[in-house]
Amino acid sequence: MATTANRTPTSGGAVIAPTFEVRCPADGRVVATLPEMGKANVALAAAELRAAQPEWEALGPDGRGKHLLNWLDWILDNEQRILALVQAESGKSAGDTTIETMVAVEVINYYVKNARKFLTDRSVRGHNPAALAKSLRVFIRPQPLVGIIFPWNYPLGMPMMDVPPALAAGAAVLTKPSEFTPVAWTECVRGFREEIGAPPVIASITGGGEAGAAVVDEVDMITFTGSARTGRKIAVRAAERLIPCNLELGGKDPMIVLDDANIDRAVNGAIWGGLFNAGQACISVERIYVQEPVYDEFVDKLTAKAGALRVGMDPAGSWQNDFGALANDAQMDIVERHVQDAIDKGASVTTGGQRDANGLFYPPTVLVDVDHTMACMREETFGPTLPVMKVRSEEEAIRLANDSQYGLSSSVWTSDPERAERVGRCIEAGAVNINNAAANAFQFPLPFGGWKESGTGSRFGGAAGMLKYCREQAYCSERFDLTSELHWYPYTKTKGELFNRAVRLLGARGLRRRLGLNG
Ligand code: NAD
């Protein structure tokens, strides 16, 4: 690690920091050298954002929306350059980068369009006649400074799911990209700060776990996407600091193929749903359960189609591969361990199963004769593997699908809508897709959130995806200018009895209790 002085305009930090190199996982070349920020840099960046946030909040939803749309224009005007950075730091194929800007376009437009509605103060009615003396309202105010920490699998798409609703809500945002892929995002943050005339209400903190921990220590609310291991640490620190914490963690999404499914569509869905981005997506298909009558046909077609996919690093400007490299050595180790463990316990590989000699490439791999004693069916793989298990019935498929500590997303494939809903309602996961894989994640009015160890609460989507960055303020105002109230000092027996009678009269069940005849 080099030790050059660094001052980055995307953070506002002016403290000398060591640097770290970001390398392309496909060929090992250095893509960028960035500051490894520590506590002092993070504190400086946080102070700058806090100073700018009141002006940002005062702009209101429409004023903030103008800046967000200008940012989107700038991103689209620089799309090719930004996506080249994404490809270089992640090693993904050109095709797999298309989702990155799609998410930016969709999420920014969705929250800009709806911010005014989601953030509008609301009046509420009291629930009993005594409340008629009061006017009750709820104000929505942003958390001043929000922290957003995210992983490496979508360098632009991941933060774009979280950052636009936070900014649109009026918060300032301290972001922390993964140390493996900070380059494209940091450039987008620079665009916001330097190219569109917006106030400096966002910063990109570069570095590893220590920088992330420093972010948690500075903010008023933290949103984290990443591994369950890191999520636990962040939850503990957030609890110590008494700040709200929203976690989106790993997944082991099941795909259930019933005997009346359109098998060709299910096979194509499994191929894309399990292998897009080299399987490095939290909502990718991680395990497949196929009903006996269609199992052989499904496996034959899956094997043929998976084996025909093209894997490799796209030369600049080409779209010649379907998916690219794994993100790092640790990811390769997990994939190799899961495949070897399955083989050791009796599974067979119908295609793939061996990493390429050069670079971090692993071919699409179909595993059969798998069961729940194997790591590939229980632990998150986050790689290009498709383990397939034969099941006798719908009930067996549901039982196995739910036999997991995770519950992020899932899919059910059948031509019978009633059967789909019956099975879907039994699945213990935050989302169920019918005859599609991972589709829910791109329908932004829907809530996106993991159940069980996959997460806590709604990560994005709908009003909840914006309101989690806000605080509700109860506004309770008197309609009449009375000198005193029945339950205020000084207490007297008469006032106390009158008060108790009023409470019973308005809230008790049955005439006897209302009139206090039971003593
Ligand atoms: P990770 O947990 O190792 O790192 C995620 C981020 O946390 C990185 O920016 C890292 O620098 C930071 N970090 C590490 N230690 C920290 C600490 N102590 N305090 C604060 N921040 C810290 O995860 P990863 O390897 O980058 O990503 C892969 C994981 O992310 C997988 O488990 C995957 O399922 C999950 N993921 C989940 C979703 C989802 O929406 N549920 C989406 C994408 C990825």
Side-chain angles (χ1 to χ4, degrees):
M1 186 178 283
T3 50
T4 41
N6 268 286
R7 185 188 193 286
T8 156
T10 54
S11 72
V15 175
I16 291 177
T19 57
F20 68 102
E21 288 174 342
V22 179
R23 287 178 181 273
C24 174
D27 55 20
R29 84 193 124 101
V30 175
V31 177
T33 303
L34 291 172
E36 173 86 52
M37 295 186 188
K39 267 185 164 304
N41 301 84
V42 176
L44 264 176
E48 186 201 27
L49 296 188
R50 281 191 190 281
Q53 186 272 335
E55 180 199 343
W56 180 246
E57 182 181 351
L59 287 175
D62 296 344
R64 294 190 294 268
K66 276 185 195 142
H67 286 302
L68 284 166
L69 292 175
N70 288 341
W71 190 32
L72 180 56
D73 289 345
W74 181 85
I75 289 169
L76 291 177
D77 290 347
N78 290 275
E79 184 180 19
Q80 291 317 312
R81 189 171 61 77
I82 292 167
L83 291 186
L85 293 176
V86 168
Q87 266 192 284
E89 63 186 333
S90 68
K92 63 176 73 186
S93 66
D96 273 339
T97 65
T98 54
I99 282 178
E100 309 267 354
T101 30
M102 180 272 269
V103 171
V105 170
E106 287 287 299
V107 178
I108 290 177
N109 277 315
Y110 176 70
Y111 280 108
V112 167
K113 197 157 80 188
N114 288 289
R116 176 166 285 285
K117 183 172 78 184
F118 294 160
L119 299 174
T120 298
D121 301 340
R122 57 184 197 276
S123 295
V124 293
R125 289 169 64 130
H127 82 112
N128 72 33
L132 287 174
K134 301 185 173 11
S135 146
L136 307 180
R137 294 165 73 195
V138 180
F139 297 163
I140 315 274
R141 294 281 312 281
Q143 296 280 2
L145 183 59
V146 161
I148 296 179
I149 301 178
F150 47 94
W152 41 257
N153 56 340
Y154 288 95
L156 185 58
M158 277 291 120
M160 278 301 176
M161 288 176 160
D162 300 307
V163 169
L167 287 175
V173 186
L174 197 53
T175 63
K176 215 304 267 163
S178 165
E179 55 273 42
F180 292 104
T181 55
V183 184
W185 176 249
T186 301
E187 173 57 9
C188 288
V189 170
R190 192 196 64 75
F192 187 100
R193 295 173 62 105
E194 295 182 2
E195 307 280 352
I196 62 166
V201 285
I202 182 166
S204 175
I205 298 299
T206 53
E210 263 183 52
V215 167
V216 182
D217 280 348
E218 287 290 342
V219 294
D220 303 309
M221 182 268 175
I222 185 78
T223 279
F224 169 77
T225 305
S227 65
R229 187 188 65 254
T230 309
R232 277 202 176 85
K233 287 188 204 163
I234 289 176
V236 167
R237 187 61 190 137
E240 282 170 354
R241 290 201 57 231
L242 298 177
I243 59 167
C245 168
N246 191 239
L247 304 175
E248 213 45 59
L249 309 172
K252 191 73 194 166
D253 291 358
M255 168 175 186
I256 296 177
V257 183
L258 297 174
D259 53 9
D260 58 352
N262 173 341
I263 296 302
D264 289 317
R265 181 170 173 83
V267 166
N268 288 331
I271 295 278
W272 186 78
L275 303 174
F276 73 105
N277 211 37
Q280 300 170 119
C282 53
I283 43 163
S284 71
V285 170
E286 285 256 334
R287 50 201 170 108
I288 307 176
Y289 304 98
V290 185
Q291 246 188 315
E292 222 161 11
V294 293
Y295 175 85
D296 288 341
E297 180 190 353
F298 181 87
V299 169
D300 289 348
K301 288 180 171 171
L302 188 74
T303 301
K305 290 217 161 176
L309 290 186
R310 301 151 305 168
V311 182
M313 180 70 188
D314 285 338
S318 94
W319 289 58
Q320 69 188 38
N321 288 295
D322 294 305
F323 68 78
L326 299 186
N328 51 47
D329 291 315
Q331 212 42 56
M332 179 63 83
D333 290 348
I334 296 171
V335 175
E336 290 196 295
R337 178 168 63 77
H338 284 194
V339 172
Q340 193 55 51
D341 170 76
I343 293 168
D344 292 347
K345 289 176 178 159
S348 307
V349 175
T350 64
T351 184
Q354 279 286 331
R355 71 177 283 180
D356 284 13
N358 301 314
L360 286 173
F361 297 104
Y362 200 95
T365 296
V366 176
L367 292 160
V368 294
D369 300 326
V370 292
D371 62 41
H372 276 215
T373 65
M374 299 172 186
C376 69
M377 297 299 278
R378 307 206 63 89
E379 297 171 24
E380 184 180 48
T381 308
F382 224 57
T385 54
L386 293 168
V388 192
M389 194 170 163
K390 190 190 291 183
V391 292
R392 280 180 302 271
S393 62
E394 207 174 285
E395 291 72 23
E396 188 183 10
I398 293 168
R399 181 177 61 74
L400 289 166
N402 288 341
D403 179 24
S404 172
Q405 84 238 41
Y406 292 113
L408 189 55
S409 190
S410 62
S411 64
V412 179
W413 303 71
T414 168
S415 51
D416 177 348
E418 278 180 26
R419 206 177 176 199
E421 189 169 332
R422 184 172 69 231
V423 174
R425 283 181 183 274
C426 294
I427 293 181
E428 294 287 313
V432 182
N433 293 283
I434 305 304
N435 298 323
N436 211 327
N440 68 291
F442 306 106
Q443 300 305 317
F444 296 101
L446 279 177
F448 180 97
W451 290 9
K452 302 200 264 185
E453 289 185 26
S454 287
T456 58
S458 185
R459 175 176 170 202
F460 62 81
M466 173 176 261
L467 295 176
K468 74 175 192 169
Y469 297 115
C470 300
R471 304 163 294 179
E472 282 189 340
Q473 187 172 48
Y475 189 83
C476 183
S477 160
E478 292 301 319
R479 288 188 198 278
F480 309 111
D481 189 19
L482 302 179
T483 313
S484 185
E485 298 254 339
L486 194 54
H487 63 285
W488 285 4
Y489 292 140
Y491 292 148
T492 65
K493 185 161 187 289
T494 314
K495 273 178 32 176
E497 283 176 355
L498 205 56
F499 184 78
N500 287 344
R501 272 195 196 170
V503 169
R504 277 175 171 265
L505 201 60
L506 294 174
R509 285 204 305 172
L511 199 58
R512 179 175 61 79
R513 289 190 195 87
R514 277 200 184 159
L515 298 179
L517 299 179
N518 57 343

